[in-house]
Amino acid sequence: DAGVTQSPTHLIKTRGQHVTLRCSPISGHKSVSWYQQVLGQGPQFIFQYYEKEERGRGNFPDRFSARQFPNYSSELNVNALLLGDSALYLCASSAPGLNTGELFFGEGSRLTVL
Amino acid sequence: SQQGEEDPQALSIQEGENATMNCSYKTSINNLQWYRQNSGRGLVHLILIRSNEREKHSGRLRVTLDTSKKSSSLLITASRAADTASYFCATVADRGSTLGRLYFGRGTQLTVWP
């Protein structure tokens, strides 16, 4: 079975631009979470979606938004990019029915803002 | 902050030696998990220990949890060069949280020399 897939893997943007990152969860997983990992730090929680509804939001500005589609894939949108948005953006899916809390991560989308 | 904090930040050992990493956290938890990350790629789940468990084994991994001290340790026995990676502990709060929300520390960079 395919794991969590993310696209694009790398992208370069300039300040003020907008970016859309995409994620497909493992088949059967209905929960998708997004994390930001700045170089040298641990991942920081941005959003969680379950059954197409937002179930949690981390301490990020309103420039960050996300949504989940009927097929459980998800998009993360970031507007008005800042230099500090440069990071690895990780998507993770989980199977809440198993109640384990274990997350399955994709390989990430590395965003560079110039 | 609920973030876990790993200690040491960096660890360098020879193949065959054991590697021990520690994690401290601040609030009550439902479970604590350890993840591995190779060179800024996606995170891989290693092991999960619940708040009512004190020790858990998985292959060459041994995890302990002391909820009275709010600390955990990860022991990798008979280390191999392929174990070279960053290791993160992540906590799930025991109330008011969703399954997708993990609080990560900054990680321990483990280097295993052949």
Side-chain angles (χ1 to χ4, degrees):
Chain A
D1 286 342
V4 177
T5 58
Q6 293 187 243
S7 63
T9 54
H10 295 83
L11 68 167
I12 299 174
K13 294 284 187 178
T14 57
R15 283 177 295 174
Q17 285 189 313
H18 162 272
V19 67
T20 297
L21 307 177
R22 296 177 176 82
C23 171
S24 293
I26 291 173
S27 177
H29 286 191
K30 299 180 180 180
S31 176
V32 169
S33 299
W34 288 94
Y35 287 79
Q36 180 197 63
Q37 186 178 23
V38 175
L39 192 63
Q41 305 287 323
Q44 297 291 312
F45 174 80
I46 309 175
F47 285 111
Q48 189 208 15
Y49 276 78
Y50 177 66
E51 288 284 14
K52 293 153 285 190
E53 291 187 4
E54 182 182 306
R55 295 299 182 96
R57 183 187 181 110
N59 188 24
F60 281 82
D62 291 343
R63 298 185 296 108
F64 288 76
S65 64
R67 55 179 175 168
Q68 187 175 34
F69 299 100
N71 65 353
Y72 303 109
S73 67
S74 178
E75 280 183 357
L76 175 69
N77 295 284
V78 187
N79 293 324
L81 286 168
L82 304 174
L83 296 179
D85 295 330
S86 295
L88 180 67
Y89 288 85
L90 295 161
C91 174
S93 71
S94 60
L98 297 176
N99 199 31
T100 64
E102 174 185 351
L103 294 187
F104 297 82
F105 283 86
E107 292 295 328
S109 294
R110 184 164 296 282
L111 171 65
T112 301
V113 182
L114 302 177
Chain B
S1 169
Q2 293 175 271
Q3 282 184 323
E5 291 296 334
E6 291 89 346
D7 172 62
Q9 291 186 0
L11 180 60
S12 185
I13 60 174
Q14 295 290 130
E15 268 192 329
E17 295 181 339
N18 294 340
T20 299
M21 288 160 268
N22 302 299
C23 170
S24 60
Y25 56 92
K26 296 182 179 178
T27 62
S28 297
I29 61 171
N30 175 280
N31 67 72
L32 184 145
Q33 304 175 33
W34 285 89
Y35 287 81
R36 165 190 168 133
Q37 185 178 40
N38 288 351
S39 299
R41 301 184 64 185
L43 282 80
V44 176
H45 181 266
L46 295 176
I47 195 165
L48 180 153
I49 186 165
R50 300 193 184 283
S51 60
N52 61 352
E53 298 176 312
R54 292 296 168 259
E55 186 171 313
K56 206 163 183 180
H57 297 255
S58 176
R60 295 185 295 115
L61 304 180
R62 172 179 171 255
V63 170
T64 62
L65 179 65
D66 187 335
T67 53
S68 67
K69 296 181 179 179
K70 291 187 169 56
S71 66
S72 173
S73 68
L74 172 67
L75 169 67
I76 304 175
T77 60
S79 296
R80 307 165 181 168
D83 294 328
T84 295
S86 292
Y87 292 82
F88 294 90
C89 70
T91 57
V92 177
D94 67 349
R95 56 179 63 90
S97 71
T98 59
L99 284 175
R101 187 163 190 165
L102 298 182
Y103 295 88
F104 286 88
R106 294 188 176 188
T108 292
Q109 173 60 49
L110 173 66
T111 302
V112 182
W113 298 100

